[in-house]
Amino acid sequence: MAKHKTPLLDQLESGPWPSFVSDIKQECDSRAKNEKGIEFQIPADCPDDLLGVLELSYKDGETHWKHGGIVGVFGYGGGVIGRYCDQPEMFPGVAHFHTVRVNQPSGKFYTTEFLRQLCDLWEFRGSGLTNMHGATGDIVFIGTTTPQLEEIFFELTHNLNTDLGGSGSNLRTPATCMGMSRCEFACYDTQALCYDMTNEYQDELHRPAFPYKFKFKFDGCPNGCVASIARSDFSVIGTWRDAIRIDQKAVAGYVGGEIAPNAGAHAGRDWGKFDIQKEVIDLCPSECMSYEGGKLAINDKECVRCMHCINTMPQALRIGNDRGASIFVGAKAPILDGAQMGSLLVPFVKVDADNEYREIKDVVEGIWDLWMEEGKNRERLGETMKRMGFNKIIEAAGVPFDSRQVQEPRTNPYIFWKAEDVEGGWDRDISDYRKRHKL
Amino acid sequence: MAFISSGYNPAKPMENRITDIGPRHFTDFLPPVIKKNFGKWLYHEILEPGVLMHKAESGDEVYTVRCGGARLMTVTHIREICDVADKFADGHLRFTTRNNIEFMLESKDKALELKKYLNAQKFEGGSYKFPVGGTGAGVTNIVHTQGWVHCHTPATDASGTVKATMDVVFEEFQNMRLPAPVRISMACCLNMCGAVHCSDIAILGIHRKPPMIDNKILDNLCEVPLAVAACPTGAIRPTKIEIDGQKYNTVAVKEERCMFCGNCYTMCPAMPLADKEGDGIALMVGGKISNRITKPAFSKVVVPFIPNEPPRWPTMTAVIKKILDAYSADARKYERLGDWATRIGWERFFEKCDLEFSEHLIDDFRDPAYYTWRQTTQFKF
């Protein structure tokens, strides 16, 4: 028997897409029955009350969650987000309902053993509700009370060998695509780099010292499955510098119709016979390909590695061998100063595990030094860049200026020359000037 | 409900404390075939919607079955997912960046059997538990934020708008008949905890009323300078006010300068702005993240406001369907939604999608606005 009537939410139980309402209801039942005899450490009926408060929001058209509040575990400033309901009398089970962010494993692979351990912990000490996963990538545990926080952290670190993620003005939990684990396009080991950088910067992840949030994201190739170029302050995207590897026999397979183009991604509609000229050659953004006499040729020097030809003929074309990554900085969503895409800072860097990714970390640390010194409160790196100029970031990162960093050179000639750029510097003598030019 | 401790002793917080160990190493969780062929994959094929095959240099093949999930998941549901993984995939699974669940198997027959099994699992309310799909030139799962379920700044719900949308576009989740992938994303306020600003179709919760000021408590609840500095348009200034003979330090808002971002509320809880009539949804289209053929692009606002219509947001889902159908009918193979709009021209986009163009769609926010106005005689009647 449901604790609260939820006529509006009940309408979200129909329709084909998995219903979160049905799912929460089954959690309510499970906790009410409590077949395993668990001594729930927070109110057993909290999922019921969550449905209740959500129904109220559906009626009111407004949220009923209060603003933050400072809660956390000892010594950390991030990883837990305080959350309180503004109708605690009506919904006591969710009066205190904090979020815990748990650092997800790179690529989000799991064993059922580990997932079940997480479930047991969260059933016992939390609401039993999660996000798999939050938008930044963390495992998100939704809803617990303050006395449980240290206990949850103790369990996570002692028994599950894992840690909290980031929240607040600090390094957010780094996220990566699946990389080399199951993708033929990965130009570097995104998971290894993500894991290493996460551990290297634990202090920044757990103890807020930044002007605002800072996100690392790692994409293995320009397809960008983890969206790093759009939503991370520091985005590492795999690329290569040499030639695309061509298997002419497989090219013929595509042309002849034996192999489905685009790995079969268009199989749901009859688009007609595969036309290599129309579908590959003519769509190449740098027009660096040709197909003559049954042979595909690529002028690799002119290739901009957009991935289209490789995506379209994955059995015939493969990424090059001289692999590394490009680094982009400053992407963010609109708050505060409008949306920004990541800007290219380093066209190519080797992703070298042997020297513990020193080249990449040097760039990160140079930028952090500048941003922590100059960044205003709640200013993302992208906004600091806009305010101070990209040149300052390039200098702080200690990387060379490069024509690849711009779409086009500047259209205004208001160049901020420095005194050292000019012969004789800026120190001049007005009386000396007056000797030559009378008033 | 007796309090049971795991071993943490508040009197000695540092005793046996373990900190900063980071996440579990990903290699702890890789299925054997993935571990064995790590970094040695040759190519992949989508065998049918929701079923992928990856071929390794060793000749090994791994078959992946992908199904959608609601993102908001209970432990009961996660345990069911674990049961599936134990039964079919030797206890391994993964989640995708778009909240799909993937099971990896070593034979095609087993994969097709799993697909059938997953598609047969239903919640008591009638919806699928694990619908298989989300691959190739179709609509995959919607990434979204917390909404009214758990967030303090939303202008709309997230889980509900997503459920309503996915129900309407469900056939495109289980098919691959669109010109290119269509990524729909949802954010319940302008803070956008996700990449909504670069999605083919973005559902965005927005406010339309300036903040109310809780003058009597503001100075106790907030740092006035931070509230002032929080405003990107300089609409907030410190002020003093007298109420019932008592003087209060507070702030004043120049309302015509407010663009309803809600940043002040994030900094100062005494400045709430959410409101039933004021809040609703803007739809944005044409963004992308991939570098394929064309550059990554921002989404553009094409519908400035749709009221919140819980529980199913029928106006919003109808507009999304209309845009998707117009794109599907008109775009070329491989052409993303934004590339289609750019090719035919945005004036034609509004016509083909049967959308109204209004003053609210002309950018008037700072420099970026200038770059969106037309400076050519090349336009279409």
Side-chain angles (χ1 to χ4, degrees), chain A residues 65 95 171 192 202 206 253 262 275 302 328 371 422 429:
Chain A
W65 296 103
L171 176 64
Q202 282 291 300
H206 291 133
N262 215 37
D275 180 342
E302 300 308 315
F328 295 75
W371 182 55
V422 192
D429 185 352

Side-chain angles (χ1 to χ4, degrees), chain B residues 112-129:
Chain B
L112 296 180
E113 188 191 328
L114 172 58
K115 178 174 175 173
K116 217 169 129 193
Y117 176 83
L118 290 170
N119 279 335
Q121 307 303 309
K122 298 266 178 89
F123 280 111
E124 253 180 52
S127 69
Y128 283 99
K129 279 186 174 174

